[in-house]
Amino acid sequence: MHYFRLLYEGEHAEIFPRAQTVTQEKRLVRERAGYRRWRKVERVFSADHQYIVANFSSLVAEIPADLINRSLGNISADVEQGPELEFVASVVSASQPKEKIWAAVTQHQVDGRVAYRIRRNEAGSTWFEWMLGDQYFPHEDNRGADVVWFEQWGENDQKKKYLRVERQRLESQGLTVQQMVFEMEGDNVGDELEISEYAKEYDQDIPEDMELPGVTELLCGLVTNDETLTHQRGRSALRNIDGLQEEINWTITRDSIVFDKHGQPKLAIPRALWDTVASENQRNYGARFVRNADLEVVSYDDKTGAVPMYITWDAKTQQSFEHVTRLIKYMLAISKTSPQAAGLEEGKGNSGVALLYLWIQSVIKAEAIKEKFDAALKAAIRKCMILENAIGGQTLKVTDPVVEWGDLLPKADSEKDTEEIEKYSGGVQSLETTVRRMHPDWSEKAIEAEVQKIQDEQTASSMNPTYTQPPRVSLGDN
């Protein structure tokens, strides 16, 4: 995980061996050893040509996150009214899934997994939070899991490090939640401490061990990426592309070195002028050499017309650029990322359908990831309802909430509105859903008010005088 995190963050000089060859270099320089005495010494300098990182690995993780983030819509209970609706609204407000889904999906792609757990405070607020995948350890019997994290106390060199563990186990009577703490000795886990004494020493509010009768689900979970039978905890989306990423960086770095060395103009001086300046330095400093500063003011040779001149070298690197482009396309193909999404090809379409086919590779990948997060969001909120019933004394009907998802790719407002109106006119979508999808940024009150206005106008329009007048009658001469 740490390797893939460095790859995503662009810290490639720490993980790629060829980067070490350009991060520093040794040079022979002259230094004065006395009056008219010089000596050559070897010194280490920072490289003039630093390792260049063109981090396309980050695109592999962030493009699905971008698509899923923009498509996540409203989350609500599967009821029109009641305590379930209010509770789900409070969980969504406290958990902020819309604001945190991008980070969760990105970490899910980098690490190959992401975890979540349910929380509740003394004020009665219940929410869920995302966690790193290396903080979640399922038990081998699939009847429990450990959620772990580190805590440090103290200042500077006096810091003490502890390992906190929240262990959840499904027993015959229900769910048990146990809190534990261990000393850390460097990177090794030491002795277990008494949790109450630990909480008292560092003034921490740690819940006591609990037994929740009748609870048949763990109050935590794991979302895996590209899992197989041999890798059931998931695999990173950045696997198999690190070699291509290193070759891209190295090719660009090598071209940069070529441009820097040969692109700068070189000053060429006549041999006679060099001998004149070198002899002058021999008399002054005891060694024959020529510095750039010595040539700021020079004499002109009237007989030969020899003057200093600048020489430049035109580097041909077209093949290198084509090689980099090929490597990038190979990387995108392996990672199931569309070239249009990476900006290598034009990604504009005349309609939403045309845009979909241009981005189809990334869309298919994002759709599969979205299905996993759809199930995770529903499970997390359902577990919040279970915890509220067990601790908060509520009698909520435990069901999955409704998670609305929009299109992964943007569409023109006119095209999107036309599609929604056609769905409503065809009778396959309600008026409220139509208004909600056409105005996703509106509040619930604004949506209700708009629905009521439309219904009132429809009612007024249906009152045609031709049909609302009483039937005509003929009065006889009786």
Side-chain angles (χ1 to χ4, degrees), residues 150 162-163 165 181-192:
F150 293 110
Y162 300 92
L163 174 69
V165 180
V181 60
F182 298 85
E183 286 183 323
M184 291 296 297
E185 301 173 357
D187 292 332
N188 299 320
V189 180
D191 297 332
E192 182 178 0

Side-chain angles (χ1 to χ4, degrees), residues 343-413:
L344 294 182
E345 298 178 7
E346 186 175 0
K348 299 179 181 179
N350 296 328
S351 65
V353 176
L355 184 63
L356 172 63
Y357 282 109
L358 288 175
W359 287 57
I360 190 65
Q361 200 171 14
S362 291
V363 170
I364 292 175
K365 178 180 178 179
E367 285 281 1
I369 300 171
K370 185 190 75 174
E371 292 300 323
K372 295 195 173 190
F373 275 87
D374 177 80
L377 288 171
K378 292 177 180 178
I381 296 177
R382 184 184 68 248
K383 293 175 188 291
C384 287
M385 300 175 76
I386 293 175
L387 180 62
E388 185 67 17
N389 286 344
I391 297 181
Q394 299 291 328
T395 57
L396 301 172
K397 183 180 178 181
V398 179
T399 57
D400 286 342
V402 176
V403 181
E404 296 181 2
W405 297 91
D407 296 321
L408 293 174
L409 296 176
K411 293 182 180 179
D413 290 341

Side-chain angles (χ1 to χ4, degrees), residues 24-91:
Q24 63 181 14
E25 61 182 15
K26 295 180 179 180
R27 299 181 192 168
L28 289 174
V29 298
R30 291 175 179 270
E31 69 175 18
R32 187 183 293 275
Y35 180 69
R36 292 190 175 184
R37 291 178 55 195
W38 297 78
R39 64 183 176 185
K40 293 182 178 180
V41 295
E42 186 179 70
R43 289 187 177 178
V44 178
F45 290 84
S46 297
D48 292 335
H49 317 288
Q50 294 295 334
Y51 186 70
I52 297 177
V53 175
N55 191 16
F56 283 88
S57 301
S58 61
L59 290 176
V60 175
E62 292 179 1
I63 288 176
D66 291 338
L67 297 177
I68 293 174
N69 179 72
R70 75 170 310 276
S71 68
L72 179 59
N74 185 57
I75 301 177
S76 180
D78 194 14
V79 292
E80 296 294 333
Q81 57 184 357
E84 292 80 9
L85 184 64
E86 296 178 0
F87 178 76
V88 171
S90 66
V91 170

Side-chain angles (χ1 to χ4, degrees), residues 170-429:
L170 289 173
E171 307 293 350
S172 58
Q173 72 276 12
L175 178 68
T176 62
V177 182
Q178 181 184 3
Q179 303 291 335
M180 297 179 289
V181 60
F182 298 85
E183 286 183 323
M184 291 296 297
E185 301 173 357
D187 292 332
N188 299 320
V189 180
D191 297 332
E192 182 178 0
L193 305 178
E194 183 64 35
I195 192 69
S196 58
E197 296 179 0
Y198 174 81
K200 182 178 180 180
E201 180 178 358
Y202 296 109
D203 193 21
Q204 293 295 297
D205 184 14
I206 300 176
E208 298 180 353
D209 295 347
M210 295 185 299
E211 292 186 3
L212 304 177
V215 177
T216 59
E217 295 186 34
L218 296 177
L219 300 180
C220 54
L222 185 68
V223 187
T224 58
N225 178 69
D226 292 345
E227 69 278 7
T228 64
L229 294 178
T230 55
H231 298 85
Q232 297 184 6
R233 296 194 66 195
R235 298 176 297 167
S236 173
L238 305 185
R239 68 189 188 279
N240 301 328
I241 66 173
D242 51 343
L244 292 170
Q245 179 64 71
E246 182 189 21
E247 185 65 23
I248 291 171
N249 292 347
W250 182 251
T251 304
I252 297 176
T253 299
R254 185 180 57 204
D255 289 346
S256 175
I257 293 174
V258 170
F259 274 116
D260 189 61
K261 284 186 175 180
H262 299 286
Q264 294 180 358
K266 302 296 187 297
L267 181 62
I269 62 176
R271 181 65 186 180
L273 179 59
W274 194 96
D275 288 336
T276 301
V277 176
S279 298
E280 185 70 20
N281 286 335
Q282 174 73 35
R283 289 192 298 272
N284 296 333
Y285 305 106
R288 289 178 60 81
F289 60 88
V290 176
R291 300 170 300 182
N292 291 338
D294 298 329
L295 300 175
E296 291 183 356
V297 178
V298 297
S299 60
Y300 178 74
D301 193 333
D302 295 331
K303 295 182 179 179
T304 63
V307 295
M309 66 180 65
Y310 284 98
I311 301 175
T312 58
W313 180 76
D314 185 14
K316 305 296 184 182
T317 57
Q318 181 179 359
Q319 291 298 323
S320 293
F321 294 149
E322 294 178 355
H323 179 54
V324 169
T325 302
R326 285 194 300 267
L327 292 174
I328 295 172
K329 289 185 176 181
Y330 293 157
M331 175 189 291
L332 298 178
I334 292 174
S335 61
K336 304 176 186 177
T337 305
S338 301
Q340 290 80 5
L344 294 182
E345 298 178 7
E346 186 175 0
K348 299 179 181 179
N350 296 328
S351 65
V353 176
L355 184 63
L356 172 63
Y357 282 109
L358 288 175
W359 287 57
I360 190 65
Q361 200 171 14
S362 291
V363 170
I364 292 175
K365 178 180 178 179
E367 285 281 1
I369 300 171
K370 185 190 75 174
E371 292 300 323
K372 295 195 173 190
F373 275 87
D374 177 80
L377 288 171
K378 292 177 180 178
I381 296 177
R382 184 184 68 248
K383 293 175 188 291
C384 287
M385 300 175 76
I386 293 175
L387 180 62
E388 185 67 17
N389 286 344
I391 297 181
Q394 299 291 328
T395 57
L396 301 172
K397 183 180 178 181
V398 179
T399 57
D400 286 342
V402 176
V403 181
E404 296 181 2
W405 297 91
D407 296 321
L408 293 174
L409 296 176
K411 293 182 180 179
D413 290 341
S414 57
E415 182 180 1
K416 180 178 65 175
D417 294 347
T418 301
E419 290 182 359
E420 299 300 330
I421 292 172
E422 289 178 352
K423 292 178 184 178
Y424 173 65
S425 301
V428 296
Q429 183 172 286

Side-chain angles (χ1 to χ4, degrees), residues 136-149:
Y136 181 90
F137 294 89
H139 298 170
E140 292 183 357
D141 59 0
N142 294 324
R143 297 286 297 172
D146 287 354
V147 177
V148 304
W149 65 97

